[in-house]
Amino acid sequence: MAALHGPAPEDVTIGVIGADKFVHRIAAVAREETRTPHRLLTAVYERESDAREKAMRIVGDVDVLLFAGPLPYDVAMSGGPLPVPATFVPTGGVALPTALLRGSLSGTVDPARVSIDSALERDVRETYAELGVDMRHVHVMEYHESVAPEQFLAFHRDLFHAGRTSGAITTVPSVAAALADAEIPSLTMAPAAISLRNALRTARLLGSGARLEDSRIAIVIARLPASALPHRTSSSNYWYQELKLSLHRALLHDARRMDAAVLQRDEHSYLVITTMGSLRSGTDDLTRAPFLASVRDALGIDAEVGIGLGRTTLEAEENAQSAVNLAVESGGDLAYLVGPQGSPIALPASHDGEAPEPAPVADRQNDTLREIITLLDGQGDEGRVVDAERVSQLQGVTLRTARRTLRSLVDAGLAWPMPPARVQKVGRPPVRYQLLDERLTG
């Protein structure tokens, strides 16, 4: 175990759990952060099955746990709830094309004849289409909660020995080691630096939220930039009044997803008042800024957005003001979050820096909601509040699929995320969703 200390002793401490190479990479990325240094405590395992044991050794000294990927995270969670929030570095992104390029340049594997684990088949298909490479002889095994490293190993080994592949691409270090022992050509698909930075940011925010167990007030200030203001503001500036109304509508659109209230603060800005749990639900676990992308898409301007957390509304608003001042300096590309400890954290408009397209209410999502409602009614449950575990049981799907289903319903305006219930239980409470069957069309 090793510790990396930032300058502020009260800062969030992130426990990093993974193989040796991963731990060294994420430590190097953390050292590059000069504006908001990270404080890390690391624990190295040789096999993913040891993830929970390693996590429990350091859990008393950290505010949040960050695992090397979904596999060690699920291994750790399978033993029961952890005492602190936990997250993991996601697979995919730019890691796959990078691995394919490495394989092609080094001659280790033929990208057109390869087996790939952990990645979503859809992502692989899109990557190959963009590269213009035929993937008829590419084999993919997606990750889900019940997959063990041995199954990935057997998947790669059987295809290679059958002469159907030139080698393997894996995200699991223990599988890579076993493939090397079996003399099967392979590459490790390691997360890109940007994925590591985003994962550190998410972990830090989750740790910060855990520290605010009894202080879950979150206030967002959304302000029109100075460049959009008229030289002389008055009620006769009709276009400016229209601009403010448009900003208000754009804020309301996203605020619904966070069960938040939108209030006019002054002539140029609005307050959005919500809870930390609802803010997480509406921003993909605080991996992107609220409102920036939707305001840019609706109004064609970059709003100034700052988020404040606090034990009181006054403290939260003061921190939001500090955060929005930082956003002004960034030129509108980022929003900032400031908590009681005063350490600012920058949030991008979206995961890839581009405003997401608004999701239409599709027939498929209407059908999905109808199916869930029918299943609830069939069990005598007239309530319309569910979480991912309930949907998983009703539809007979994995928790991950259930979470995707609920997020798609939210995007379609057919469900609302609700503030987490306050329960005396270790770990984060599940996110509950209000199903809006009155909005069904057709």
Side-chain angles (χ1 to χ4, degrees), residues 2-5 16 19-42 66 191-198 200:
L4 297 174
H5 300 278
V16 178
D20 184 70
K21 184 176 291 186
F22 165 81
V23 167
H24 279 84
R25 281 197 67 217
I26 203 163
V29 168
R31 290 191 190 97
E32 295 172 0
E33 293 288 339
T34 56
R35 186 181 180 94
T36 54
H38 298 286
R39 177 184 173 90
L40 307 185
L41 186 64
T42 62
L66 175 59
I194 189 172
S195 299
L196 298 180
R197 280 193 291 271
N198 287 338
L200 282 168

Side-chain angles (χ1 to χ4, degrees), residues 273-320:
I273 304 172
T274 185
T275 65
M276 183 65 173
S278 293
L279 184 67
R280 280 203 301 263
S281 298
T283 57
D284 297 339
D285 270 338
L286 299 175
T287 58
R288 59 178 177 83
F291 308 122
L292 273 183
S294 57
V295 170
R296 183 183 298 163
D297 186 61
L299 279 69
I301 62 173
D302 290 319
E304 297 162 353
V305 175
I307 308 159
L309 309 178
R311 287 170 286 270
T312 66
T313 53
L314 178 60
E315 182 182 27
E317 187 173 350
E318 289 175 346
N319 287 332

Side-chain angles (χ1 to χ4, degrees), residues 13-317:
T13 300
I14 303 171
V16 178
I17 318 295
D20 184 70
K21 184 176 291 186
F22 165 81
V23 167
H24 279 84
R25 281 197 67 217
I26 203 163
V29 168
R31 290 191 190 97
E32 295 172 0
E33 293 288 339
T34 56
R35 186 181 180 94
T36 54
H38 298 286
R39 177 184 173 90
L40 307 185
L41 186 64
T42 62
V44 176
Y45 58 65
E46 292 187 4
R47 298 188 62 83
E48 291 74 19
S49 56
D50 297 330
R52 184 176 178 87
E53 176 195 347
K54 296 294 184 180
M56 295 305 292
R57 289 186 184 182
I58 65 171
V59 75
D61 299 313
V62 302
D63 299 296
V64 61
L65 292 168
L66 175 59
F67 291 90
L71 175 57
Y73 170 85
D74 285 336
V75 167
M77 296 299 289
S78 66
L82 295 166
V84 298
T87 185
F88 58 86
V89 178
T91 58
V94 299
L96 177 57
T98 301
L100 293 172
L101 178 61
R102 284 171 44 223
S104 178
L105 292 176
S106 65
T108 305
V109 297
D110 176 4
R113 294 179 60 252
V114 69
S115 55
I116 303 170
D117 71 47
S118 302
L120 294 175
E121 186 162 356
R122 178 198 64 206
D123 292 345
V124 175
R125 189 166 56 249
E126 290 175 353
T127 297
Y128 272 76
E130 290 174 0
L131 294 174
V133 177
D134 187 350
M135 63 168 292
R136 282 179 296 177
H137 302 294
V138 174
H139 307 271
V140 181
M141 184 175 184
E142 295 188 0
Y143 174 77
H144 54 81
E145 288 90 336
S146 60
V147 171
E150 293 76 16
Q151 291 171 278
F152 280 151
L153 176 61
F155 163 70
H156 294 301
R157 184 184 56 220
D158 293 349
L159 286 167
F160 180 78
H161 287 159
R164 299 174 63 189
T165 64
S166 62
I169 295 178
T170 180
T171 66
V172 184
S174 63
V175 173
L179 289 170
D181 290 342
E183 298 184 346
I184 296 174
S186 68
L187 291 169
T188 300
M189 184 165 57
I194 189 172
S195 299
L196 298 180
R197 280 193 291 271
N198 287 338
L200 282 168
R201 183 185 296 115
T202 299
R204 182 169 179 160
L205 288 166
L206 287 174
S208 176
R211 284 188 165 196
L212 301 174
E213 198 63 41
D214 298 317
S215 314
R216 304 180 69 83
I217 298 169
I219 288 183
V220 182
I221 294 177
R223 189 168 66 189
L224 290 167
S227 60
L229 306 183
H231 295 301
R232 296 176 59 189
T233 302
S234 70
S235 57
S236 63
N237 289 117
Y238 178 79
W239 67 268
Y240 182 68
Q241 301 305 319
E242 281 292 308
L243 182 61
K244 286 198 302 180
L245 287 173
S246 298
L247 174 61
H248 189 229
R249 284 193 293 267
L251 295 176
L252 284 173
H253 180 271
D254 279 6
R256 285 186 315 172
R257 302 170 63 185
M258 297 187 289
D259 197 28
V262 180
L263 305 173
Q264 185 164 349
R265 180 172 182 249
D266 56 34
E267 197 60 18
H268 313 306
S269 63
Y270 290 88
L271 287 180
V272 182
I273 304 172
T274 185
T275 65
M276 183 65 173
S278 293
L279 184 67
R280 280 203 301 263
S281 298
T283 57
D284 297 339
D285 270 338
L286 299 175
T287 58
R288 59 178 177 83
F291 308 122
L292 273 183
S294 57
V295 170
R296 183 183 298 163
D297 186 61
L299 279 69
I301 62 173
D302 290 319
E304 297 162 353
V305 175
I307 308 159
L309 309 178
R311 287 170 286 270
T312 66
T313 53
L314 178 60
E315 182 182 27
E317 187 173 350

